[in-house]
Amino acid sequence: MAYTTDAQRKQLLKDGKPGMYSFGQKLFLKVSGEGKGSWVYRYQKDGKRKNLGLGAAAQITLAKARELVEQSAAKVAAGTDIAAERKATRDEEKKQRALASEPPFEKLYLAHIEEQESKTDEPWNPSHARQWRTSWEMYIAPVFGQKTARQITQKDVLEVLDHKCGRNCPDDCPRSQVWINKHESGRRTRSRMDIILTAAHLKGLRDDESPAASKTIAPLLPEVSKKKKEGENHPALAYKDAAKFWAALDQCTGADAAYLKLLVMTGVRTKEIWWLKWDELDWDDMVIRIPGVDPVMKQRRTKNGKPHILPITPEMERLFKSLPQRNKWVLAGSKRDQPVNHDAAYLLQKRLQEFGPWVDKNILDENGKPKPISIHGWRSTFYDWALEKTDVPEICVSLQVGHVVGTSVQRRYRRTNLDDKRRELMEKWERHLKSRGRLKVVV
C-alpha cells in the first residue's frame, strides 16, 4: 500500500510503528519510533539498490520530500554518484567546522614565544623574543593574517619570503624580497614559520608537512649571492683608532659606560658582561669566573656553554671599585633587581658617534658609505691588534674572546687556559687603549 497525503505522514509518525512506508515514486518514510522518522529515496546504481536519506520527516513535508526526490533522480539519470556527492559535502562541512574551531597561526606563533620566555630552564632573553615578534609583525602577518596552520600553503610562504612590491606598496617597502634584500632576516623568518607549522602538523592542526621546510621551499626561492648567504662581517674600528675612541668613552660614567668599557677591554660577547654578578669576581686570583650557564637567568652565558675565565686588569679593577653595589648585578639597571638594559652599550656607542665618526672603512652601506662600528666589532678590533702588535700566540687571543680552539683531542690534552699569558696580553691592550690620553666629551 502506497501512502499519498501529508496527513498520512503525520499519522504514521504519531503512531510510531517502526517500518518502511512507501509514498510512491521511490520515496519511503522510515519510522523508528513515536515522532521519529526520516525520508528515504530508493534508487539503483550499477545494478545495486541503494538508499539516500533526505532528512527528518517531522520537519520536511511530503511535497518537499517529492521535490528532493526529483532533484536526486535527475542527478542519478545524469550519472552522478549522489551518495559520494553527499559524503563529500558532509566531509567539507565537517572540515569547515573544524577550521572554525582551530586557533589561527598567529595564536600558535605568539604562544610559542610566551612559552619560551616563561621557561625556567634557559628562557629566551628579551632581545630574541623581540626578533621573533618583529618577524611576525613585519613579514608574516601581512600574508598569513587570521589563517589557521591548516590553511597556509606554499604560495603563502613564498609571498612572505619573495614578496614583489606592487602599486599599493610604499617606495621603501620593508617586505620587498626579504629573502634577497635581507637574507639573514629572511632565513630566520623561514625557520620560524617552519618551527610553528611543523609543530602544528605534529599536533594534528595540519594535514601535510610544513610548506616552509628548507628542503621544500629553497628550490623555489631566488638564488642568493654568496656574499649575502655567508653574511657580512660586523663593522669594526681599526685598532689604530681604538685609543681615540677610548679617550672619548673614558669621560663617560654610569652603568652603560661601564658596560661598554668592559666589552672593549675584554673582547668577549655581550651576555658575558651584561649579566656579570659581584660573586663572579675572584679578588684572590684577580679573575672573573663566568659560568657557562647563568644560574639566575637559566640561559647560556657563553656561546659554547663552558665556563670562561677572564683576567682582571688594573683598569678593570678601578672600574669595578667605582661602581655601587646596589644588588647582585655589577651593571645594575634602573629597574629593581635587574641588570642594565641590554642595548645600553649600543646606545652609548651611537651617541659617541658625534666625536668620531667611528666607522669601518672596509664595509660599505648601500650608498657606498662606511658603516658605523658595531658592539660585536670590538672583538675583531682587539683580535687584529693582538695579532699585529704582539707576539702572543693566536691560541691565547682565541681563548680570551671565547672561541673553541683545536680538535677535541687537543682540547682534552690542553689543561691550561694560558691565564698568565692572557693577563699580560690584556694589560698591553689596556695600555694601548689609554695611549691617547683624555678628550673633553659631554654625553
Side-chain angles (χ1 to χ4, degrees):
M1 172 185 174
Y3 297 87
T4 57
T5 67
D6 200 52
Q8 290 173 321
R9 167 186 71 94
K10 294 178 181 178
Q11 187 60 48
L12 288 169
L13 288 173
K14 184 179 179 181
D15 294 342
K17 184 179 179 181
M20 290 281 282
Y21 302 92
S22 174
F23 277 74
Q25 299 177 331
K26 302 180 181 180
L27 176 63
F28 291 82
L29 175 60
K30 182 181 179 181
V31 178
S32 56
E34 186 177 344
K36 297 178 181 179
S38 60
W39 291 112
V40 174
Y41 168 52
R42 183 170 287 174
Y43 67 101
Q44 290 221 342
K45 175 72 174 175
D46 298 329
K48 296 181 180 179
R49 189 172 71 179
K50 296 189 176 185
N51 294 330
L52 179 71
L54 300 176
Q59 283 81 42
I60 299 176
T61 64
L62 176 59
K64 180 63 177 176
R66 292 195 189 284
E67 183 180 328
L68 294 173
V69 167
E70 288 179 8
Q71 295 172 2
S72 299
K75 290 182 178 181
V76 170
T80 302
D81 187 339
I82 54 177
E85 183 184 64
R86 170 72 62 82
K87 184 178 183 301
T89 300
R90 288 177 175 174
D91 288 347
E92 180 62 26
E93 290 173 351
K94 183 179 178 181
K95 182 179 178 181
Q96 292 303 319
R97 287 195 299 271
L99 284 174
S101 65
E102 287 179 357
F105 178 90
E106 177 184 12
K107 187 173 181 179
L108 300 176
Y109 188 97
L110 298 179
H112 178 73
I113 298 174
E114 292 169 4
E115 178 187 352
Q116 296 300 322
E117 286 180 305
S118 61
K119 287 173 76 173
T120 55
D121 182 26
E122 294 196 31
W124 281 0
N125 63 51
S127 177
H128 191 58
R130 184 169 62 248
Q131 290 171 2
W132 267 70
R133 289 190 173 94
T134 298
S135 286
W136 166 255
E137 294 165 3
M138 186 172 291
Y139 307 121
I140 306 172
V143 179
F144 286 12
Q146 288 300 303
K147 286 184 178 180
T148 66
R150 198 183 303 276
Q151 293 173 310
I152 291 164
T153 64
Q154 195 174 72
K155 183 179 179 181
D156 295 323
V157 176
L158 284 171
E159 175 61 16
V160 171
L161 300 175
D162 193 31
H163 169 72
K164 295 177 176 63
C165 292
R167 264 185 261 175
N168 297 327
C169 292
D171 294 337
D172 56 346
C173 177
R175 293 178 51 224
S176 177
Q177 290 192 293
V178 64
W179 185 254
I180 293 178
N181 299 328
K182 301 178 186 175
H183 182 64
E184 185 59 23
S185 295
R187 187 184 65 79
R188 293 182 180 184
T189 299
R190 183 212 63 76
S191 175
R192 288 161 186 164
M193 290 188 290
D194 184 37
I195 288 170
I196 305 304
L197 289 169
T198 298
H201 174 59
L202 295 174
K203 292 176 182 177
L205 296 175
R206 217 190 134 72
D207 298 325
D208 51 3
E209 294 183 353
S210 166
S214 180
K215 64 181 180 181
T216 304
I217 203 71
L220 305 177
L221 289 166
E223 186 68 26
V224 180
S225 68
K226 185 177 180 182
K227 181 178 178 181
K228 287 186 177 180
K229 191 175 290 186
E230 293 177 350
E232 293 182 343
N233 292 327
H234 292 275
L237 192 64
Y239 67 81
K240 295 177 182 178
D241 296 325
K244 183 179 177 182
F245 178 89
W246 182 266
L249 173 60
D250 200 29
Q251 304 302 298
C252 304
T253 59
D256 56 348
Y259 187 7
L260 182 52
K261 287 177 183 178
L262 288 168
L263 289 172
V264 174
M265 283 193 284
T266 60
V268 299
R269 297 179 177 88
T270 53
K271 202 179 289 186
E272 296 187 37
I273 298 300
W274 179 30
W275 290 345
L276 192 60
K277 289 173 278 297
W278 290 108
D279 61 7
E280 293 169 359
L281 306 184
D282 184 342
W283 294 112
D284 293 331
D285 292 337
M286 290 299 288
V287 295
I288 305 172
R289 299 187 183 278
I290 298 171
V293 177
D294 192 274
V296 176
M297 307 304 280
K298 308 298 183 185
Q299 289 186 28
R300 285 189 179 187
R301 280 280 291 283
T302 60
K303 189 171 184 178
N304 59 13
K306 305 293 184 182
H308 193 193
I309 298 175
L310 305 174
I312 297 178
T313 62
E315 182 63 24
M316 290 167 64
E317 181 182 2
R318 283 191 290 272
L319 177 59
F320 286 136
K321 291 184 176 179
S322 71
L323 295 172
Q325 297 190 31
R326 292 189 293 163
N327 50 41
K328 60 178 170 285
W329 306 104
V330 172
L331 303 172
S334 56
K335 293 183 179 180
R336 184 178 179 182
D337 200 30
Q338 290 292 320
V340 69
N341 186 292
H342 175 264
D343 295 328
Y346 161 76
L347 295 172
L348 174 58
Q349 182 165 278
K350 189 175 181 180
R351 294 199 299 273
L352 284 171
Q353 278 293 340
E354 64 177 288
F355 303 101
W358 317 111
V359 297
D360 188 332
K361 297 176 183 178
N362 297 314
I363 299 181
L364 308 180
D365 62 17
E366 57 273 13
N367 297 317
K369 296 181 179 179
K371 284 190 174 183
I373 61 173
S374 66
I375 295 295
H376 198 85
W378 282 107
R379 292 163 55 78
S380 177
T381 302
F382 163 69
Y383 209 99
D384 287 347
W385 168 84
L387 295 184
E388 290 275 5
K389 292 297 182 179
T390 73
D391 296 325
V392 174
E394 187 170 359
I395 185 175
C396 186
V397 187
S398 294
L399 288 172
Q400 173 63 25
V401 298
H403 288 164
V404 176
V405 182
T407 66
S408 59
V409 174
Q410 289 172 328
R411 291 197 297 274
R412 280 199 297 271
Y413 277 90
R414 188 180 66 241
R415 308 297 173 85
T416 177
N417 289 315
L418 303 177
D419 294 340
D420 293 338
K421 286 185 179 294
R422 287 198 292 126
R423 183 181 302 281
E424 181 183 346
L425 171 67
M426 300 317 292
E427 289 178 356
K428 287 181 180 179
W429 172 239
E430 187 176 284
R431 289 195 292 273
H432 173 71
L433 291 173
K434 298 177 69 176
S435 63
R436 191 176 176 85
R438 296 167 69 89
L439 298 177
K440 186 176 181 181
V441 173
V442 179
V443 178

